[in-house]
Amino acid sequence: MASFTALWHVVSLSVSPINTWFPQRFYNAFLSAIMDLDLLQVSAPGLAYICLGGFVVLFSMISLLVKEKLYINEVVLGTGFGIIIGPYVANVFTPREWGPLENTITLEVMRIVLATGLFAVGVELPCAYMKEHAKSLLIMVVPTMAFGWFVVAGVIQALFPGLNYISSLCIAACLTPTDPVTCAAITRGKFATQHVPVNIRRILSAESAANDGLAYPFLAISIYLTVETSVRTALGKWFLVGWLYQVIIGTILGAVLGLLFSKLMKISHKKGFIDRESYVAQYLALSVFTIGIASTIGADDLLAAFAAGSAISWDGHFNVQTEDDVFSSVIDYVLNCGCFIYIGAWLPFDAYNSPEYSITPWKLVLLTIAILVLRRIPPLLALYKLVPEIVSWKEALFSGHFGPMGVSAVFVSSLALTRLPTPEHPPANQAQYLAATIQPIVSFVVLSSVIVHGLSIPFFSMGRGVHSRTTSLTMTWTSINRATVPDWVHWARRSPNMVESPPNEDVERGSPEISKDPDESVVDTPDTNSPGVTVTFEDVPSVVTRRHGRGKDDSSPELVQVEAVNKHVGPADLNSGASDDNQIKNVHFPSAQ
């Protein structure tokens, strides 16, 4: 009856023409009616939906500017937005206040995002990529992870003396894997497509996916040595459970599921039972299905998800059916935004200054610097000559730097807490001490990695822009006094294997004649669907090239060498200051592989 009276009061106010205070009185009556009807229900899930949806909507409005102009991805902005709405600023979204289920919720959120990302990495790699690049991946994953694991553990023990070396190994195991979600945000996009060779992008994606699954054995040996009283028992469980069961069974399970569903989808497609949308839905459905089975039987669910994605696209059928479809990217985009908003609100800033555990901000900063310098760069600089995809020390340095830590580190640290005792205050033993310190240390390194790796490309792009503007004035004067060579030809490597082609053949279009115009020194640009080429003028002091992208996702060039001569007999000398134009004499294409 009270509710009816309140509503009638609102209606009577709305139709009263003599009410001079109509707006204010209507507003007060409206609020009174809402309170009487108990319509206003503020809850944690509702606020979470508002924050996630609002961020994605607002970020999407300026996504082209932010991602393609400023080169800042959703990882950095999502984390920053999570910090703003978290308990230390707006106090709107507070995951750590969700009670005893907080760690379980964090673990499962990270698991879903990681499994979807790992499955997508496996699908997007070329057919049979893992088989053809197994040697390179083995060299990049195992020695690099082992080196970083031991070295980071030593640094942790030196900075935090309350932790013994075994506990330090457990924390280092959380920081050993490269995060595939953050790595995907770095290796994709306009800047990566233009400036990072496709082989580097692919090997970094595959490596980040593989070493995520292999983080289980590194964590397992540390946990077993911490909680078991016998070293022999710990090593036995580590070998039988950590390697033979979790890793091997998880890999086999994922590969079998991927191949099985690949065969089933081909049969269904042949009979006309499946549509295109259902293919794309497998990105989410099959990844969740795989980790559900793997986690239920206790196998390595992340490695199973990656193996399933690689297996389902092994023959290329799945890739063909999902080609040019953006729904999978939309799934990754929304999940990544939500995940890093969650991480930003989850970060325990008050734990970064805990003198009782020897945790202070300056120690955490020193640890972060040591990890960024020592974790990946030294082993990759030492071993890059054994990895065909990495051709120079600069590419090895780039690959070593871009080993971000993010979702995977949070996931492994949350998984470790499920196997450690609940800490008392003060901790009664080393296991409780480890449980109290693992997430403050790991979360600070994750925050630092998001900032450093997420903003590396914007700073690198800014540096390139300053350098190009600085050198353009010098290049303008120099080009006037040299033979006319287009300035599109300065970025590619020489190809070691060459075969001759007819001297008068057009390099880019394959026509039998080239331009005879003595005033023209530029070959026509092919259409975007033609294979990318690199034209090299030989017998000159510097390599002079022309580069075209091979496709929308592949900017790495095919290598072509061209011998250029002037009108006089002999090779061209671009430093001679001659004003006569160059012509193409011989063309060399790379031999078929």
Side-chain angles (χ1 to χ4, degrees):
M1 186 67 181
S3 301
F4 177 78
T5 303
L7 286 176
W8 176 255
H9 184 53
V10 172
V11 173
S12 62
L13 284 174
S14 64
V15 299
S16 177
I18 61 175
N19 189 356
T20 57
W21 300 101
F22 168 76
Q24 183 64 35
R25 296 185 63 183
F26 181 84
Y27 175 75
N28 293 336
F30 182 73
L31 288 182
S32 176
I34 290 178
M35 299 303 294
D36 290 341
L37 293 174
D38 196 22
L39 296 177
L40 189 62
Q41 298 180 1
V42 180
S43 62
L47 293 176
Y49 301 149
I50 293 172
C51 293
L52 174 59
F55 174 81
V56 174
V57 169
L58 294 178
F59 180 66
S60 301
M61 297 294 182
I62 57 173
S63 59
L64 184 62
L65 170 65
V66 174
K67 297 173 71 173
E68 301 296 336
K69 302 296 183 181
L70 303 179
Y71 302 114
I72 300 176
N73 53 50
E74 67 272 11
V75 171
V76 178
L77 295 180
T79 305
F81 183 74
I83 294 173
I84 292 173
I85 66 174
Y88 301 98
V89 183
N91 198 27
V92 173
F93 184 53
T94 56
R96 287 191 174 273
E97 297 180 2
W98 293 350
L101 293 178
E102 176 269 322
N103 189 68
T104 302
I105 295 173
T106 302
L107 179 67
E108 297 307 321
V109 169
M110 302 301 124
R111 191 195 304 272
I112 292 294
V113 175
L114 276 176
T116 307
L118 291 172
F119 185 86
V121 170
V123 169
E124 292 168 2
L125 290 173
C127 303
Y129 183 87
M130 300 300 294
K131 177 182 178 182
E132 297 173 358
H133 299 263
K135 174 187 172 184
S136 300
L137 286 172
L138 185 65
I139 294 172
M140 288 190 67
V141 171
V142 178
T144 303
M145 290 186 70
F147 179 89
W149 185 45
F150 284 116
V151 171
V152 171
V155 176
I156 292 173
Q157 188 186 22
L159 291 174
F160 308 102
L163 294 166
N164 60 27
Y165 190 68
I166 300 301
S167 298
S168 300
L169 284 174
C170 183
I171 297 177
C174 303
L175 302 173
T176 298
T178 302
D179 182 36
V181 178
T182 310
C183 187
I186 293 172
T187 56
R188 296 173 183 171
K190 179 181 177 181
F191 185 90
T193 303
Q194 291 180 347
H195 300 287
V196 182
V198 65
N199 287 338
I200 297 296
R201 299 204 307 270
R202 287 173 178 170
I203 199 70
L204 285 179
S205 297
E207 184 227 0
S208 66
N211 66 19
D212 249 46
L214 291 178
Y216 274 86
F218 290 92
L219 177 66
I221 184 60
S222 308
I223 295 293
Y224 287 140
L225 289 174
T226 300
V227 300
E228 296 290 341
T229 56
S230 170
V231 175
R232 183 176 181 179
T233 302
L235 292 176
K237 287 185 176 181
W238 174 64
F239 180 75
L240 293 176
V241 178
W243 279 104
L244 293 184
Y245 188 78
Q246 289 185 329
V247 173
I248 303 301
I249 297 299
T251 305
I252 294 175
L253 173 66
V256 169
L257 288 175
L259 291 174
L260 176 63
F261 278 94
S262 177
K263 298 293 184 183
L264 290 176
M265 283 190 290
K266 284 198 291 186
I267 295 174
S268 182
H269 179 264
K270 189 175 181 179
K271 295 182 176 294
F273 294 161
I274 187 172
D275 56 13
R276 182 182 177 87
E277 290 77 11
S278 299
Y279 272 100
V280 180
Q282 300 302 321
Y283 271 94
L284 184 61
L286 187 55
S287 59
V288 173
F289 179 74
T290 301
I291 64 171
I293 294 180
S295 60
T296 299
I297 66 175
D300 189 336
D301 48 359
L302 300 185
L303 205 55
F306 178 55
S310 300
I312 200 173
S313 62
W314 195 264
D315 57 0
H317 173 76
F318 186 83
N319 304 71
V320 172
Q321 299 303 319
T322 58
E323 187 177 10
D324 298 329
D325 198 294
V326 299
F327 182 69
S328 60
S329 300
V330 173
I331 294 175
D332 284 343
Y333 174 66
V334 175
L335 288 178
N336 291 351
C337 289
C339 180
F340 281 95
I341 291 174
Y342 185 96
I343 291 175
W346 168 87
L347 293 172
F349 284 95
D350 55 347
Y352 297 155
N353 188 21
S354 302
E356 65 273 19
Y357 299 114
S358 300
I359 297 177
T360 57
W362 72 267
K363 286 186 177 182
L364 293 173
V365 172
L366 286 179
L367 174 63
T368 300
I369 295 173
I371 289 174
L372 294 176
V373 175
L374 301 176
R375 172 171 157 261
R376 286 170 53 88
I377 293 177
L380 285 179
L381 286 176
L383 299 173
Y384 80 89
K385 293 183 180 180
L386 302 177
V387 182
E389 291 81 3
I390 302 177
V391 299
S392 68
W393 69 268
K394 293 182 180 180
E395 293 183 353
L397 181 63
F398 176 86
S399 302
H401 170 69
F402 278 104
M405 295 153 284
V407 181
S408 56
V410 177
F411 172 79
V412 178
S413 66
S414 300
L415 181 64
L417 283 182
T418 63
R419 304 181 182 182
L420 291 171
T422 302
E424 301 174 1
H425 299 285
N429 51 42
Q430 185 63 207
Q432 291 187 14
Y433 194 93
L434 173 61
T437 57
I438 184 171
Q439 284 199 336
I441 295 175
V442 170
S443 62
F444 184 88
V445 177
V446 167
L447 174 62
S448 303
S449 177
V450 167
I451 295 173
V452 172
H453 293 110
L455 298 180
S456 291
I457 289 181
F459 280 112
F460 182 68
S461 174
M462 187 184 304
R464 287 177 60 92
V466 171
H467 176 73
S468 63
R469 287 191 295 271
T470 303
T471 58
S472 61
L473 294 176
T474 303
M475 294 179 61
T476 301
W477 182 86
T478 305
S479 61
I480 298 175
N481 297 309
R482 290 191 176 185
T484 306
V485 178
D487 53 0
W488 37 253
V489 290
H490 295 284
W491 300 276
R493 302 185 298 267
R494 290 185 182 271
S495 177
N497 302 319
M498 303 298 168
V499 292
E500 296 272 345
S501 68
N504 289 330
E505 183 177 9
D506 187 314
V507 177
E508 301 185 3
R509 297 197 180 278
S511 59
E513 294 292 331
I514 61 171
S515 174
K516 300 299 183 180
D517 186 355
D519 295 327
E520 180 179 334
S521 60
V522 180
V523 183
D524 290 338
T525 303
D527 58 90
T528 56
N529 294 325
S530 61
V533 299
T534 297
V535 181
T536 301
F537 292 85
E538 289 182 317
D539 298 322
V540 294
S542 61
V543 178
V544 188
T545 60
R546 181 171 188 175
R547 174 170 173 170
H548 295 295
R550 296 196 322 190
K552 61 182 181 180
D553 295 324
D554 189 353
S555 65
S556 64
E558 297 291 343
L559 299 177
V560 180
Q561 284 194 344
V562 179
E563 182 179 349
V565 298
N566 292 321
K567 294 178 181 178
H568 57 272
V569 178
D573 183 4
L574 299 184
N575 289 330
S576 64
S579 60
D580 48 350
D581 297 322
N582 297 300
Q583 293 180 349
I584 296 176
K585 179 180 178 183
N586 289 320
V587 182
H588 308 273
F589 289 89
S591 56
Q593 298 179 357

